[in-house]
Amino acid sequence: MDLGIRGRRALVCASSKGLGRGCAEALAEAGVDLIMNARSPGPLARAAEEIRAAHGVKVEEVACDVTTEEGRAQLIAAAEGVDILVTNAGGPPPGLWSDWEREDWLAAIEANMLTPIMLMKALMPGMIARGWGRVVNITSQSVRAPIPQLGLSNGARTGLTGFVAGTARQVAPHGVIVNNLLPGIHATDRADALDAAVAAAENITIEEARARRAATIPARRYGTPREFGAMCAFLCSEHAGFIVGQNILLDGGAANLTM
Ligand code: NAP
């Protein structure tokens, strides 16, 4: 299917690895020029070069921390005039409700709620002026099916979800389409780190930890960054203009929900 976005320009945050990389790759495959971002310049440069070589699109690299005001200022300057924004950042750490102090909450809210909101605030006016835009926020399955030990993520990302629910409907009349993509368990470095922690705690191999977790998913496997990226690219496509303010769960059926 031709996604109808060849020649458009996208900012994909936190995209040298994992789900962000999957989104960058799928957009590049559709002919979209990219601004890619991550904190570590080395892996970012390698990812950008691989995408240029594979898809022949222009790729600009901005190495910075998207969760800081300075990092966002750098990204916003580089991304002036973009048609597509994909927001992403690392997730907050797990823990227990009674352990988190005000500072932990402020960090989670800054990274996983205010960062995407500030990027939308900066970049959507240009999209509105040009009458076309797409925003995809990478959130989490925890927004629909909260994970007890991820209280910081549940809270901060639910705040973003509430903001998007209203805002997506305010910008849609101007041709700007905003949706959230909710990953369940996907095979990325983050998933490996979680499996390694379980393996160490329970004295089992990482393969065993992974197999146990995969067994809890009706699809009986982890999702892939490629599958995730394909859905992201579709939501950024010409065909997605009637999908407004949705929370799309990609979890292999893990959350047992009717809606
Ligand atoms: P990942 O494999 O660890 O990749 C994270 C990517 O983001 C890397 O490119 C990393 O590069 C970059 N990054 C992290 N923090 C950043 C920051 N502050 N500023 C700029 N770039 C940053 O992670 P992932 O699995 O793709 O997860 C992406 C998001 O989805 C996270 O918020 C995660 O909580 C959420 N999620 C993931 C899963 C899953 O199963 N994978 C499930 C639910 C939710 P640098 O380290 O060089 O910055």
Side-chain angles (χ1 to χ4, degrees):
M1 184 194 289
D2 180 358
L3 296 185
I5 48 176
R6 186 164 296 282
R8 299 249 181 218
R9 223 170 129 242
L11 166 60
V12 186
C13 302
S15 55
S16 66
K17 294 180 186 168
L19 303 178
R21 164 80 191 253
C23 295
E25 193 89 43
L27 286 168
E29 207 174 316
V32 175
D33 293 327
L34 300 175
I35 299 154
M36 289 177 66
N37 155 252
R39 290 164 302 183
S40 320
L44 177 62
R46 277 195 292 283
E49 192 43 47
E50 283 167 18
I51 289 183
R52 280 185 207 105
H55 306 291
V57 295
K58 289 185 205 131
V59 183
E60 200 178 325
E61 300 149 36
V62 181
C64 66
D65 184 340
V66 68
T67 67
T68 64
E69 242 182 275
E70 311 79 68
R72 285 195 295 275
Q74 264 180 272
L75 282 169
I76 289 163
E80 209 202 326
V82 286
D83 309 290
I84 295 167
L85 165 65
V86 179
T87 74
N88 186 27
L96 187 62
W97 62 272
S98 51
D99 296 337
W100 297 316
E101 302 300 340
R102 188 166 187 274
E103 290 63 39
D104 302 309
W105 276 107
L106 290 177
I109 289 167
E110 180 76 46
N112 298 108
M113 179 180 166
L114 293 179
T115 289
I117 290 175
M118 290 300 121
L119 290 169
M120 283 185 264
K121 185 173 189 296
L123 297 173
M124 288 199 308
M127 298 178 191
I128 290 170
R130 291 184 297 278
W132 197 97
R134 297 286 185 266
V135 178
V136 173
N137 299 297
I138 300 179
T139 65
S140 173
Q141 62 181 352
S142 70
V143 165
R144 301 218 40 221
I147 301 165
Q149 65 275 23
L150 290 180
L152 292 172
S153 172
N154 300 337
R157 296 190 201 270
T158 302
L160 171 64
T161 307
F163 171 82
V164 166
T167 305
R169 288 162 174 92
Q170 291 175 316
V171 300
H174 306 284
V176 178
I177 299 300
V178 185
N179 289 289
N180 300 323
L181 256 188
L182 284 52
I185 300 168
H186 281 72
T188 68
D189 286 3
R190 182 172 162 93
D192 285 348
L194 291 172
D195 289 335
V198 170
E202 297 187 17
N203 203 20
I204 55 174
T205 63
I206 293 191
E207 289 69 30
E208 219 173 321
R210 197 174 290 138
R212 280 191 197 173
R213 207 143 70 108
T216 66
I217 304 171
R220 296 288 185 266
R221 64 175 178 85
Y222 289 7
T224 67
R226 186 170 167 77
E227 289 170 313
F228 191 85
M231 177 55 98
C232 176
F234 182 78
L235 289 175
C236 296
S237 78
E238 204 54 62
H239 312 298
F242 209 54
I243 306 173
V244 173
Q246 298 302 304
N247 291 288
I248 295 165
L249 190 56
L250 294 182
D251 71 343
N256 194 356
L257 304 165
T258 51
M259 285 191 283

